[in-house]
Structures are given as C-alpha cells and as structure tokens.
C-alpha cells in the first residue's frame, strides 16, 4: 500500500487545519498552526516549513488569504511578515444555515438521508459553525421513508436529459402508514421537469393517452426504470411548451387538469397570502380600504381547494359554476356540523 511521506503530509494537514479552524473571523498565526500540527497531527515542524507550505497553498489557489504587516528585524529594518491566515468559504454562515433549514424542514426527504445531508453541509464550514447549529430542532418523526427517493431523482434526471420515457410504480399511503401501489400495472410516462413546491418534490410529465401535463409526487414513486423509448415532444402537447413560472402559479397544489380564469373578492389583509400563492401576475382592483377584486389564471381543482381553505376571507365571483360548487360544499359542511 502506498504511503504519503510525512514531509509531504505537512501541506495537506495545514490545509485541513485552515478548513477546520479558520475563517475571516478566526484567523491563525503561523505559531498557532505549528501548535495544532504538533498537538493533533503529531508533526513537529519549524516556522519556515509552515511558511513555505502556506505559500505553496497560495499558489494552488485554495482560497487562502492572510494579512501582511511590517516588523523590524535585528538591524531595525522594516520586514514584511505574513500572519492571520484563513481560508475563504464558498458559503457564508447564513447561506449554510438556509441550506440546512431547507433540508431540515423538507417534507420529502427521509429522516436518515436528511441527517446525512445536514452533516455534509456542516462539514462545508468549520468547528465554530458546528457549535452555532447545535440548537437545531430534531427531525420530525412523520417525514416520509421512501428510501428510493434519491435514486428516483437520479434516474429521472438522466431520463429527462436523454429524452427517454420512464416506468414506475406509483403509490399511496394506507391505514397501516405504509406505501401501497395505486394500481397493479406500472405507469409509463414522458418526463419533462422536476420541481419543488409546498415542501414537496414533483415530476411534471405527460401520460401518452392525453395531450396535457400531469404532476406526480416523486416521494411516492418506486421501482423506476428508464425505457429505451423516446418521450413525446412537449410541442405535441396542448401547452406546446412548459412555462414553469406560469405552470407553478396555476397549479397551486400540483393538481392536473384544465386552468380557468377565476375572479374573487378578497380582504386586503390577505393580499400577502394571495401573492405567496399566485405570485405578482394576478390583476388586483381595490374596492375600498377593506376589500379588493382579484383575477387569476389557475388550475380548476387547485382553485377549489384554495378557495375552501381561505373561505372566510374570500368570495368567489366567477366562474359561476365554481361559485355554485363552493356554495354547495359550504352547505354540506354546515349540515355536517349542525347535526
């Protein structure tokens, strides 16, 4: 087995020390680096060796920086001294924390994989960052446990890149809290795009029988395979293309089906929520200090669910069949709770 000579390990260990112990707020002198080398790596080296290897790391552009100061030598002459060494980070603390929180509160990443991802992200920083995130709350116990998730994403990414069809088993949870196939035969679809919304990961695709787009929860997919068949071109679909911002704005809950032009009256205090759901595309007309009228293109089934969710704060005006459908649903709810 090949072994790296100890002298050649010095530069590797110094780089490791800088990654582990330094950043712009925590800089190391050459003496401190020498001390860590001795205590943790059992390497007794002199200052010149440390300096030489630090300069080599600078030449190889590892993102290392330092401060240069002037210090008088024995003759009273000003001599430049390099000190306060540190390594610059690809991600600052706030960016790393945002990434970790995104993983932590994701609803589609299994707990075991979530923990591994968080540990990998933490290693992108140093020991000081690790202490700052020690108070992160535990992972929710109700997160999904589809262990094929990352494999499914890899296969879908490959299929989309190569323009191939895929087959898979699509599942739903039963009363035993386990995934069960929704039907006996596999789904065969044309994959186009993967998106994340509402804490879930979805596949935007097409089923050959139809000329519209469908959405499938990726964490519900198992047994995926790439087929040796070209997928249907997007231009053959009703949409003609995938306008992702438009698609996401119209499909609030990622339901498939037709989109409608909906018009509703809303309280002004929920405009924030309207923009959270629909973006800035909706047309808004202020009625008074309390209400406004909003028009938006949206998936029909998604809008029904949204309007029911915000029923106390909005009134659907158009289309009439949607208004009547919500009225009937409200009547059924009233009857159910007034029994």
């Amino acid at each position: 087995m090949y072994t790296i000579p100890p002298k050649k390990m010095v530069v590797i260990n110094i780089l490791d020390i800088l990654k582990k112990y330094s950043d712009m707020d925590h800089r190391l002198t050459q003496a401190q680096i020498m001390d860590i080398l001795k205590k943790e790596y059992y390497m007794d080296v002199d200052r010149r060796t440390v300096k030489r290897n630090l300069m080599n790391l600078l030449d190889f552009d590892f993102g290392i920086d330092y401060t240069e100061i002037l210090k008088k030598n024995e003759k009273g002459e000003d001599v430049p001294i390099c000190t306060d060494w540190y390594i610059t980070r690809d991600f600052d603390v706030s960016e790393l924390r945002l990434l970790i929180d995104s993983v932590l509160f994701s609803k589609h990443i299994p707990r075991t994989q979530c923990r591994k991802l968080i540990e990998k992200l933490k290693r992108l920083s140093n020991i000081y960052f690790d202490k700052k995130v020690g108070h992160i709350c535990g992972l929710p116990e109700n997160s999904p446990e589809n262990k094929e998730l990352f494999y499914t994403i890899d296969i879908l990414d490959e299929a989309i890149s190569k323009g191939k069809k895929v087959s898979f088993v699509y599942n739903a949870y039963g009363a035993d809290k386990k995934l069960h196939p929704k039907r006996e035969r596999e789904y065969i679809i044309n994959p186009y795009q993967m998106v994340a919304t509402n804490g879930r990961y979805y596949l935007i695709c097409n089923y050959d029988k139809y000329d519209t787009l469908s959405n499938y929860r990726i964490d519900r997919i198992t047994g995926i395979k790439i087929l040796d068949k070209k997928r249907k071109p997007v231009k053959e679909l009703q949409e003609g293309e995938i306008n992702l911002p438009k698609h996401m704005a119209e499909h609030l809950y990622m339901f498939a089906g037709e989109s409608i032009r909906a018009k509703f009256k809303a309280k002004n205090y929920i405009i924030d929520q309207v923009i959270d759901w629909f973006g800035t595309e909706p047309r808004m007309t202020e009625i008074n200090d309390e209400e406004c009228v909003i028009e938006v293109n949206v998936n029909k089934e998604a809008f029904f669910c949204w309007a029911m969710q915000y029923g106390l704060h909005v009134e659907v005006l158009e289309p009439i069949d949607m208004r009547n459908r919500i009225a009937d649903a409200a009547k059924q709810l009233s009857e159910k709770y007034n029994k």
Side-chain angles (χ1 to χ4, degrees):
M1 182 177 177
Y2 178 72
T3 303
I4 301 176
K7 287 185 178 180
K8 293 186 178 180
M9 284 295 295
V10 175
V11 68
I12 297 174
N13 291 340
I14 289 176
L15 179 60
D16 191 49
I17 289 169
L18 291 172
K19 286 181 176 179
K20 189 175 180 181
Y21 292 102
S22 77
D23 55 35
M24 287 189 68
D25 299 319
H26 304 87
R27 307 185 184 208
L28 298 173
T29 64
Q30 291 180 42
Q32 288 173 319
I33 294 172
M34 289 168 57
D35 187 52
I36 297 172
L37 279 171
K38 188 173 183 178
K39 289 180 178 178
E40 297 188 19
Y41 298 86
Y42 308 104
M43 303 188 81
D44 198 354
V45 298
D46 58 31
R47 191 182 295 269
R48 284 183 298 177
T49 301
V50 172
K51 171 71 178 296
R52 183 176 67 253
N53 283 282
L54 283 169
M55 299 311 292
N56 287 337
L57 289 173
L58 281 175
D59 291 338
F60 284 110
D61 195 22
F62 278 103
I64 293 168
D65 208 344
Y66 63 93
T67 301
E68 189 173 282
I69 62 173
L70 294 176
K71 190 174 181 180
K72 293 189 181 296
N73 61 14
E74 295 176 353
K75 298 179 180 180
E77 299 169 333
D78 287 333
V79 179
I81 300 294
C82 298
T83 187
D84 294 340
W85 294 83
Y86 68 97
I87 193 166
T88 55
R89 304 282 170 179
D90 291 332
F91 298 94
D92 63 32
V93 171
S94 60
E95 290 171 333
L96 268 182
R97 182 58 195 262
L98 180 63
L99 289 172
I100 288 176
D101 285 346
S102 298
V103 171
L104 184 65
F105 299 113
S106 167
K107 296 177 182 178
H108 59 268
I109 304 178
R111 291 191 300 276
T112 51
Q113 290 167 309
C114 195
R115 289 190 181 97
K116 290 177 182 178
L117 274 176
I118 290 173
E119 287 304 314
K120 288 179 180 179
L121 287 169
K122 285 163 68 175
R123 287 199 292 271
L124 292 175
S125 191
N126 51 33
I127 60 169
Y128 310 106
F129 176 78
D130 193 45
K131 292 175 182 177
K132 288 181 179 179
V133 295
H135 60 279
I136 289 180
C137 64
L139 295 167
E141 292 301 316
N142 62 348
S143 57
E145 282 299 314
N146 181 355
K147 296 180 180 178
E148 296 181 34
L149 176 66
F150 286 0
Y151 175 75
T152 300
I153 292 171
D154 282 342
I155 296 299
L156 283 173
D157 189 54
E158 183 180 350
I160 291 169
S161 298
K162 293 181 177 179
K164 299 288 187 179
K165 292 178 183 285
V166 295
S167 66
F168 55 74
V169 175
Y170 197 60
N171 303 274
Y173 277 103
D176 58 359
K177 302 178 183 178
K178 295 180 180 180
L179 288 173
H180 300 277
K182 293 193 73 171
R183 67 184 193 189
E184 291 185 8
R185 66 182 186 277
E186 293 180 321
Y187 287 67
I188 297 177
I189 58 91
N190 304 291
Y192 300 115
Q193 185 81 44
M194 289 182 283
V195 297
T197 182
N198 298 329
R200 309 291 186 189
Y201 218 11
Y202 291 87
L203 170 66
I204 299 175
C205 58
N206 162 260
Y207 189 60
D208 268 337
K209 187 178 178 181
Y210 306 102
D211 63 352
T212 54
L213 291 172
S214 297
N215 307 299
Y216 289 90
R217 284 269 297 273
I218 294 178
D219 59 308
R220 300 289 189 262
I221 292 174
T222 56
I224 191 166
K225 296 187 290 287
I226 296 181
L227 304 180
D228 193 25
K229 296 179 181 178
K230 289 186 177 180
R231 73 180 178 204
K232 183 192 296 184
V234 180
K235 62 183 179 181
E236 293 183 12
L237 303 182
Q238 190 179 93
E239 288 84 352
E241 63 177 3
I242 297 179
N243 184 331
L244 202 54
K246 180 175 180 290
H247 184 85
M248 300 302 288
E250 292 183 7
H251 295 75
L252 305 182
Y253 303 97
M254 297 305 286
F255 289 135
E258 66 174 309
S259 290
I260 58 171
R261 183 69 176 175
K263 184 177 181 180
F264 59 95
K265 189 187 298 182
K267 299 294 183 181
N268 288 340
Y269 58 75
I270 71 157
I271 289 178
D272 282 344
Q273 287 94 315
V274 171
I275 291 176
D276 283 345
W277 284 98
F278 299 101
T280 56
E281 289 300 315
R283 179 182 175 185
M284 298 187 184
T285 306
E286 191 172 24
I287 300 175
N288 50 47
D289 292 341
E290 295 184 355
E291 294 180 309
C292 64
V293 171
I294 299 171
E295 297 178 64
V296 62
N297 291 315
V298 62
N299 173 269
K300 188 174 184 178
E301 292 305 311
F303 183 70
F304 172 75
C305 291
W306 186 88
M308 292 296 292
Q309 179 180 346
Y310 285 89
L312 295 176
H313 316 284
V314 304
E315 178 188 348
V316 175
L317 304 175
E318 298 175 7
I320 296 300
D321 61 338
M322 178 62 69
R323 180 182 174 89
N324 293 337
R325 181 181 173 186
I326 291 170
D328 289 341
K331 182 179 178 182
Q332 290 177 38
L333 284 173
S334 177
E335 291 173 351
K336 179 183 293 186
Y337 286 98
N338 283 322
K339 284 183 180 179

